[in-house]
Amino acid sequence: PVTPATYSSSLIPMILTCWAMKYIGSFIEDKCPDSIRYVMVPFITMVVMIPIMLCITGPVGSWIGELMKIMLVYLSEKVPFVGTIIVGSIVPFLVLTGSHLALIPLELQSFTTLGYESMIMPAFIGLNFSQFAVSLAVFLKARKKSLKATAFSTGLTAFLTGTTEPTLYGISIRFKKPLIATFIGCIANALFCAIFNVKEYSWGAPGFFTMVNFIDPKGSNNIYFAIGAVVVTIVVTFIATWFLGFDESNV
């Protein structure tokens, strides 16, 4: 039986379907003669996958999405601070390992079902602007011109676009203590965002040009709390980086 479901603006059914298609397509490709493989493999894969998608992966993905919706609604309404604190406290580790990419379907699911996202992207305020603060402290405190140049370029990238990998790998991990300051700043941001229930209303990594994503269409003070989170993150991380210091002797 084909379960009636609406798949508009949904990602999980597609992810499950593509995951299943990977194995089915590989199996068909191994069994198909080379002379007709180019034409027949896509056709047979499609013929096999359509009923699997409509009867299995699509409905299962829809059910998972519905469960995620229930969880998101519960966390957002009952304990909105818990998810933000957890993600915000470990977000540097998530980005360093690439695990943050696994959160994208959850973010989009929240935008689709709730109209905003209050657990993941607000946590990234901490990471993105903490890396600007780290770069700023290093730029002002460093003595070597090469390190100052690195800090200036990576800090500007983090501040304007929310791209943090240059600072994370070029400064924070390289000098170790700035990474500790990063975690301190992220935790401070997580607590602030959790207390004031900061939300993002349009998807995009927090940065100078994307702070408009935190403007509530209904006109709440959310944008001011988001800006407050930015200030808290920068101040706390800058102070932590400055006092923890860093060793530039090997630069």
Side-chain angles (χ1 to χ4, degrees), residues 16-30:
L16 292 178
T17 301
C18 290
W19 172 77
M21 187 175 67
K22 170 188 174 182
Y23 295 98
I24 292 174
S26 297
F27 176 80
I28 295 173
E29 187 174 359
D30 291 339

Side-chain angles (χ1 to χ4, degrees), residues 103-166:
L103 300 175
I104 292 178
L106 185 61
E107 298 167 23
L108 297 181
Q109 185 74 25
S110 180
F111 282 117
T112 301
T113 57
L114 303 177
Y116 59 83
E117 205 285 307
S118 62
M119 293 187 295
I120 300 170
M121 297 314 292
F124 272 81
I125 291 177
L127 178 66
N128 297 355
F129 286 99
S130 71
Q131 293 315 279
F132 164 71
V134 163
S135 297
L136 180 61
V138 171
F139 174 78
L140 294 176
K141 196 170 186 179
R143 297 181 179 180
K144 297 188 176 181
K145 292 183 178 180
S146 60
L147 181 55
K148 282 182 175 289
T150 299
F152 179 82
S153 61
T154 58
L156 192 63
T157 301
F159 180 77
L160 294 179
T161 67
T163 304
T164 58
E165 285 82 356

Side-chain angles (χ1 to χ4, degrees), residues 31-79:
K31 302 299 180 182
C32 191
D34 293 340
S35 59
I36 60 172
R37 179 176 297 173
Y38 181 78
V39 175
M40 295 305 296
V41 168
F43 174 72
I44 297 175
T45 300
M46 182 182 67
V47 170
V48 173
M49 280 305 305
I50 286 177
I52 293 177
M53 175 184 66
L54 293 176
C55 298
I56 302 175
T57 58
V60 170
S62 179
W63 298 334
I64 294 174
E66 198 64 28
L67 179 61
M68 291 172 59
K69 173 185 175 181
I70 294 172
M71 293 173 59
L72 288 170
V73 170
Y74 178 81
L75 289 174
S76 298
E77 293 181 352
K78 303 298 182 180
V79 283

Side-chain angles (χ1 to χ4, degrees), residues 88-92 126-127 130-131 134 177-192 232-244:
S89 299
I90 63 172
V91 68
L127 178 66
S130 71
Q131 293 315 279
V134 163
K177 289 183 179 179
L179 184 60
I180 299 175
T182 296
F183 275 97
I184 294 173
C186 286
I187 292 172
N189 167 75
L191 292 172
F192 184 93
V232 168
T233 299
I234 292 175
V235 171
V236 171
T237 308
F238 181 89
I239 294 174
T241 305
W242 190 273
F243 284 99
L244 287 174

